[in-house]
Amino acid sequence: MSDVSMMSSEGSSDWSRTVVVAGVPDVLSSERMSDKLTIHFQSARSQGGDVKEVQYPTHLKGVAFITFENWQDADRVVECNQMLKDKEFDEEYPLTVYKFTPEVTFYAYADMDLSLFPDLSTLITSMRSTYKSVRFKPSLTKVGFVSAEGPFSAFRELRKDLLSRAQSLRDMQPSPDKAGPSRSVVEEKNRTEETVSLWLDTHVYMYIQMMDKREWDRCVGGHHVTAQAVSTGELTQVKLHGTCDSSALAAAQRDLEMLVAVRQDLLRTQRIDYSSSDLSVRKRILQACESAQDAYRDVCYVLTDSCIEVIGPSFSSHLFCERVKKATDGLWV
């Protein structure tokens, strides 16, 4: 039974007294790190109190569950900036702390390409303030990239927010003909060629192209328009072109937005990391994915250089990854 299942079986009384701590460094043994966490959250600088239990390690990498004797202590620590420091550590480690909920079992990780936003530091500050359960860390090697981790439900809202911000950013840019921010018009032989842009989550776009291509083609071809997509990290811009009246183009855009909205609410992305695996291990993982897809036909997966991105409904994608993990004897974490 997982640590989340164990906590759930104890009843909801412990939930109000438990916090999730992300960003726990892998610098000491599990037992010693548990002691350090206990000391930290019982100290005055954390604004905490008596700790009843520390669960570390958990099924989530770098994440601990801290249960206090009193719910007031749990409420206070989530409102403070938590910095883990000790004489045994070479540096201080910022912790992301938020209240425990059963949804923690659905946890997401992502490297987000946010280079299209001009002021990344301000954006990160805003996201940290709005999405307190998500841990953000700017990349030290990739300009414009930010690593994020947190509950899937928070990720879902974060993605919607980023899509909205991207669309607003796009709308603020003047079009070459000054006709409007998201629509260009070219007159040719008394016919009007128009282009309309919309932004969507890249993983949602990939899922639709692999699993719902017929529905996508119906939304586009049914209104006699064409679509061109350009992906930039986490976001994909789709440009709809049509030599037709504006109502047909608007109808195609509306149908696509409805299709995307439904998928956006249902889908989640998980990663199977094989960056440190040799070719034989990768082959076993890929074979396990092929087998798992036969059982979970509403899930698809995409290969990258360092991992396999599993995209599908929350429950199905979770079971898909568990099946692969079991089939490969825990070769990935």
Side-chain angles (χ1 to χ4, degrees):
M1 182 180 292
S2 69
D3 31 49
V4 175
S5 298
M6 290 175 61
M7 184 168 294
S8 299
S9 66
E10 294 172 359
S12 59
S13 60
D14 275 353
W15 296 356
S16 64
R17 297 185 285 119
T18 301
V19 297
V20 182
V21 181
V24 179
D26 186 17
V27 294
L28 297 176
S29 67
S30 299
E31 291 183 0
R32 293 182 64 195
M33 184 55 72
S34 294
D35 291 338
K36 299 296 183 184
L37 291 170
T38 300
I39 293 171
H40 172 78
F41 284 102
Q42 290 187 156
S43 68
R45 70 173 182 271
S46 73
Q47 299 294 308
D50 292 337
V51 172
K52 176 183 177 183
E53 182 183 9
V54 175
Q55 293 187 46
Y56 181 80
T58 64
H59 71 295
L60 306 173
K61 184 178 180 180
V63 173
F65 301 147
I66 311 293
T67 301
F68 291 91
E69 293 288 351
N70 299 304
W71 63 265
Q72 295 93 335
D73 298 328
D75 285 351
R76 282 198 304 272
V77 297
V78 301
E79 298 299 327
C80 302
N81 293 326
Q82 302 293 341
M83 188 71 68
L84 184 64
K85 51 186 177 181
D86 189 271
K87 62 182 180 181
E88 291 191 53
F89 299 156
D90 294 332
E91 57 182 294
E92 297 180 359
Y93 297 96
L95 302 174
T96 300
V97 183
Y98 56 96
K99 293 298 291 291
F100 176 89
T101 63
E103 71 175 16
V104 173
T105 188
F106 295 119
Y107 205 74
Y109 302 83
D111 289 325
M112 303 185 295
D113 182 357
L114 303 180
S115 56
L116 62 90
F117 295 97
D119 191 346
L120 189 58
S121 61
T122 300
L123 176 64
I124 292 175
T125 299
S126 175
M127 291 191 300
R128 282 174 173 164
S129 176
T130 305
Y131 306 98
K132 295 184 181 298
S133 63
V134 180
R135 178 176 174 81
F136 300 95
K137 186 177 181 181
S139 173
L140 299 178
T141 57
K142 298 180 181 179
V143 177
F145 277 75
V146 175
S147 297
E149 61 183 73
F152 173 66
S153 61
F155 257 72
R156 182 172 55 196
E157 296 304 315
L158 171 62
R159 289 182 184 277
K160 290 180 180 179
D161 188 0
L162 289 174
L163 290 170
S164 176
R165 290 172 186 258
Q167 185 64 57
S168 298
L169 190 65
R170 173 70 176 82
D171 290 345
M172 292 173 61
Q173 299 174 354
S175 60
D177 58 5
K178 300 181 181 180
S182 62
R183 188 181 296 261
S184 61
V185 181
V186 178
E187 294 293 342
E188 181 182 1
K189 296 182 181 180
N190 298 322
R191 302 188 71 187
T192 302
E193 181 176 305
E194 298 186 3
T195 299
V196 175
S197 298
L198 61 147
W199 292 86
L200 61 151
D201 181 282
T202 295
H203 290 133
V204 173
Y205 174 74
M206 291 191 296
Y207 183 90
I208 292 174
Q209 293 304 305
M210 287 186 281
M211 308 295 285
D212 292 318
K213 188 63 165 60
R214 181 177 298 180
E215 186 66 16
W216 176 276
D217 291 342
R218 184 195 64 77
C219 295
V220 175
H223 298 287
H224 306 290
V225 302
T226 60
Q228 180 183 16
V230 178
S231 296
T232 307
E234 296 294 307
L235 301 174
T236 293
Q237 182 185 28
V238 176
K239 292 184 178 181
L240 301 177
H241 307 275
T243 305
C244 53
D245 60 78
S246 58
S247 62
L249 199 62
Q253 180 183 14
R254 183 182 63 252
D255 288 352
L256 282 181
E257 288 176 343
M258 291 179 62
L259 174 64
V260 170
V262 172
R263 301 299 180 269
Q264 186 83 38
D265 288 338
L266 293 176
L267 299 177
R268 68 169 300 201
T269 301
Q270 295 199 60
R271 289 185 171 189
I272 299 176
D273 184 9
Y274 57 23
S275 57
S276 60
S277 305
D278 56 33
L279 291 178
S280 62
V281 172
R282 289 192 179 196
K283 184 176 180 180
R284 286 181 59 187
I285 294 175
L286 288 175
Q287 290 173 341
C289 286
E290 292 176 4
S291 176
Q293 193 169 44
D294 290 336
Y296 303 100
R297 296 186 177 276
D298 57 347
V299 176
C300 66
Y301 60 92
V302 180
L303 307 183
T304 71
D305 292 337
S306 60
C307 69
I308 299 173
E309 295 179 332
V310 180
I311 311 169
S314 298
F315 193 57
S316 296
S317 59
H318 174 71
L319 294 178
F320 181 103
C321 290
E322 289 296 312
R323 184 184 180 111
V324 173
K325 186 174 183 179
K326 182 177 181 180
T328 54
D329 298 323
L331 292 175
W332 61 279
V333 177

